[in-house]
Structures are given as C-alpha cells and as structure tokens.
Amino acid sequence: MAHHMISHLLAGKVPVGAEVTVKGWVRTRRDSKAGLSFVQVHDGTCFDPIQVVAPGSLPNYDGEIIRLTAGCSVVCTGTLVESMGKGQAVEIQAAAIEVLGWVDDPETYPMQPKRHSMEYLREVAHLRPRTNTIGAVTRVRNCLAQATHRFFHERGFFWIHTPIITASDCEGAGEMFRVSTLDLANLPRTADGKVDYSQDFFGKESFLTVSGQLNVEAYCCALSRVYTFGPTFRAENSNTSRHLSEFWMIEPEIAFADLSADADLAEEFLRTIFKAVLDERGDDMAFFAQHVQKDALTRLESFVQSSFERMDYGDAVKALEKSGKAFEYPVKWGMDLQSEHERYLCEELCKRPVVVMNYPKDIKAFYMRLNDDGRTVAAMDVLAPGIGEIIGGSQREERLDVLDARIDAMGLPKAGYWWYRDLRRYGTVPHAGFGLGFERAVNYVTGIANIRDVIPFPRAPKSAEF
RNA sequence: UCCUCGGUAGCUCAAUGGUAGAGCAUGCGGCUGUUAACCGCAGGGUUGUAGGUUCGAGUCCUACCCGAGGAGCCA
C-alpha cells in the first residue's frame, strides 16, 4: 500500500484535505475522555512526529487505540487537516488505525518518552535510532555523506573503492587487525617455529586496512583527482571519546598539487558539506542547538562563512611559548603538539579551525614531502574547536631518491613498498591529499560529545555487542 | 595501557554503619482538543560480581567486571 512520508506532510507538500496514509512508530499517546486520543507518530523521515487524532468512533478505539504505548508500529489512514490545537500546523484526522506490532511488556521497553543518557542509549544500540537525538544524528550523518560525494563529483573527482583487506603491513598508521582463516588452536609452523602464513588464505600475512591512502595514490597518479570514502580499522587500545576501532574515513588525493592546494581543498570541502547540513537539516540542527550544544547552529553558520587560520608549525610553537599558559607539557620545537596545545590554538588563540603546516620531519610519516629546509615536511593538521585533529594531510614525497632515503632512515622494509616506489619511477608528479575522520566531522557538526554516538553501531575495545 | 570519578526500581537519581525512597515510566481510576498534560491509587529491588570486616554493610576493606572524564596513539 502506498503511503506518505511524514516529512512530506509536515513540509506542506500534500494539500490539506487530502486522504493520506502514514506508517510509523508511536512516540506518545494522550487520551481525552471527551472521546478521542492524540497519537504522536514518527517514521524517521524528519525530526518532528505527526499528530494523529483518533476519534472514539474508531472500531478498535477501546480495544486497541487506548492501549498504544511508545514503540508500537501503526498504519494510520485519514484526512490531512489544519490542526485545531497549538504546536503543529497540520494533523491527521484518522479514519482507521491499524496496529502492526505491539510492544510486549511496555514497562520494560527501553525507549521511554523522556530524556535518556547517551551512555544508556549505547547499551540499546538497536533501539536508539528511534530517539530524537540518534534519529537527528543519523539524518545529519547521511546529509554529510551525500554532500561529500556530491562535492567531489561536481569537481571531477572519482570515488575509488580501495581494498578493505591488505596484505601490506607497510601502511604504518598503527596497530592492525589480522585477517586469517588459519585454525588458531592448531597453527601451521615453519621449520624455525614461526607461524607459516604461506598456508593462510592469501598466502601471506593480511590485515584490515588502516588507510586507503597508499592505494588511492596509485589511482591519483592516473586519474588526477580521486578520493576514498569507506571503513577503516585501527586495533589500538584507545579508550576515548574521539576514537573508534572501526570508523569511516574520507581521503581525497590530488595530482599536480602542493600542500597549499591541499589545504585549500580541505577548507572548501568542510565548508561545503557543512553548508549542506544548514540547507537540508534545519530541523535537526535546531534540536541540537536546543538540547545538545547551545551554539551548535551559530557556530556552524560562522564556520561556513569564515576562513581557516593558517599557521606554520614554527609559528604555532612560538605562539604557544608566548601564551604564558602553564601547559602540562612544555612546548619545544621538534615536539609533536599535545592535545592541550592544539586546544589552545583553535579554541583560545584563534577561536576557529586552524591549519598547522610544515611539521618537523622526525614526528611525521615517511611519505610526506621533505621541505627545502631539510628539517620539516609538507604536512598539515586541521584542528577544530572541541574536537581536536579533524584532518591530517600532506604533500607526498614524489622524488624517488628522497623517498628511499626516508624509508631507509626510518628503518622500514623497502621491498614491501615496491609498487608504491614504482609510482615515483614511472612519470612521477607532485601530489597531495588528506584524511578526514568522518565521525569527527559528525561530532563537530552536531555538538554530540562522544564519537560512539555518531556511528550506528560503534566498535571499540571490549565493545562489539551489536 | 595509565590517572581520576562512578555503578541503588524499566529510566534519572536520593538514602550519618541501624526498617532501601522520590520523580518519570507501567497498570487502574478521575479530568481535559491534548502538547514530555494534570490529580489519585497500585505493582515494581539478589544495591555491578566475588570475597572480607562488623551484632548489623547500599554505606567500610580487597580483587575483578562495566561505564564516564582526562592522558597517550591518531582520524
């Protein structure tokens, strides 16, 4: 049976007086002994539920309607009318309400029409999308994802589906999850007693990817403007509000480009996808501003209008030294910036996102391009107030001899990088890219504090129930 | 992994070492074109787990489990 999306009805896309059907779940029910009930029904298509007025003359009124509780699924058919009450422009005068699914034992139904803590909702991750908060997060997350593909598509980028499984242990971005079909209780051994991975599924050790970057560089050096957008895995035992074991990452890579062009892209990208949220999800953003973070909306509005502060790493260090702040970790050139330093830069000094560029080479990855000063690399971090590092990027080292020297200096296995080095042997070009932690962007936009609340089913150490 | 704080009814939280309570939710009744309605009544508990101290432990001690905030690692 055809039915209407509640978002269409509330947006005025269906004329008053029309016969309509909605299908959804009950939020609340209020009874009037005058002989009618008000049922708030949501279907997830927009923030607001629609009010369905159930007259006592419905054949199942006494038997079913007045027994509806939060969570029941219903099909409501009736006439779209202007509301006689305050609080909504239109409502449905029901001619029939069919109950598809009851809530057995309503007393223990985990989702109640009240405020729940985010920690509690995490324990009922299969039901939390029915809440105002997680519903709004889900729509904003989708909006950001769609805007991401639209942004790149409109600029001639190609979406590259880089592999999830990698047999290369050279990605170098942290602990990896092993992928294996070997019998853990009976591992095959080589003569010298080590695990014999030649008998494993891929004939060698394999893992879940920690980054699509190395693979996407190959396509960048052929299709010029490319990006990845997919899941990424880190087996680090990190227990924070900013880390997940499985998260989604967006990694554009542009050929014939330097670090400055990379920073330009990062800035334009964030502004564009954030503006899409303002344009398309005003209802959800209003909720976040009201119940989650007061300045969520105004901060986003100013974000899309203002430019990022850009700062050389050396200047950032000087600014921190001059700040007069008593940091737990003193600042010194050559050190990586601590969370407290990053927070000072974007939250206090600049009060907006900051791009810190040209870090000391010794604290950055081997593939980042060595600057002419010989002691820094063309790397950048984009720091967002309240989140910290939201983007990390760099211009890549395109000179084979310099790349080899860096691989050797860092004691990495050069042979494993054979195909990555080939990209520098055959028609090498300057290129650059960055990685955006998608969930961190959702955190920033919504004002939701914990990263585990902006992904449907979060995976973290000791946590993979759903 | 380290530091700090926490775990009591379906949910949010009280309870000086001395009879475990409230609000919301649920059920029943009342009232009302209602807006997380309101009023009354009722049911609802192995106080995270396992030990220990004590005449007596939600409360004190030990270990473990889980959660939160911060740190490190990073996106």
Side-chain angles (χ1 to χ4, degrees), chain A residues 290-309:
Chain A
Q290 198 176 353
H291 288 106
V292 176
Q293 195 173 78
K294 265 187 211 147
D295 66 341
L297 191 52
T298 53
R299 188 190 53 186
L300 204 58
E301 282 165 345
S302 70
F303 187 107
V304 302
Q305 285 160 8
S306 65
S307 59
F308 295 5
E309 183 76 26

Side-chain angles (χ1 to χ4, degrees), chain A residues 293-341:
Chain A
Q293 195 173 78
K294 265 187 211 147
D295 66 341
L297 191 52
T298 53
R299 188 190 53 186
L300 204 58
E301 282 165 345
S302 70
F303 187 107
V304 302
Q305 285 160 8
S306 65
S307 59
F308 295 5
E309 183 76 26
R310 294 195 193 187
M311 199 179 274
D312 202 78
Y313 167 86
D315 295 331
V317 170
K318 281 179 201 157
L320 288 162
E321 286 170 340
K322 272 200 318 199
S323 71
K325 289 269 174 184
F327 294 114
E328 189 181 344
Y329 296 89
V331 190
K332 213 177 100 190
W333 198 98
M335 289 177 47
D336 209 355
L337 299 180
Q338 305 291 314
S339 289
E340 57 179 347
H341 305 143

Side-chain angles (χ1 to χ4, degrees), chain A residues 366-443:
Chain A
F366 75 94
Y367 53 74
M368 297 183 177
R369 191 181 194 277
L370 190 65
N371 286 325
D372 291 343
D373 62 14
R375 62 175 199 158
T376 62
V377 289
M380 66 166 185
D381 282 351
V382 179
L383 313 177
I387 301 292
E389 186 181 340
I390 191 170
I391 281 179
S394 68
Q395 184 175 343
R396 320 306 188 188
E397 183 55 74
E398 85 281 11
R399 300 159 296 187
L400 183 62
D401 55 336
V402 182
L403 181 70
D404 281 347
R406 286 275 282 157
I407 290 175
D408 289 339
M410 297 176 82
L412 298 168
K414 196 185 285 177
Y417 294 104
W418 69 270
W419 62 264
Y420 189 72
R421 293 175 65 249
D422 268 4
L423 301 176
R424 278 73 182 166
R425 293 173 64 204
Y426 307 132
T428 192
V429 296
H431 59 291
F434 64 79
L436 166 74
F438 186 56
E439 284 76 19
R440 289 188 182 176
V442 183
N443 274 135

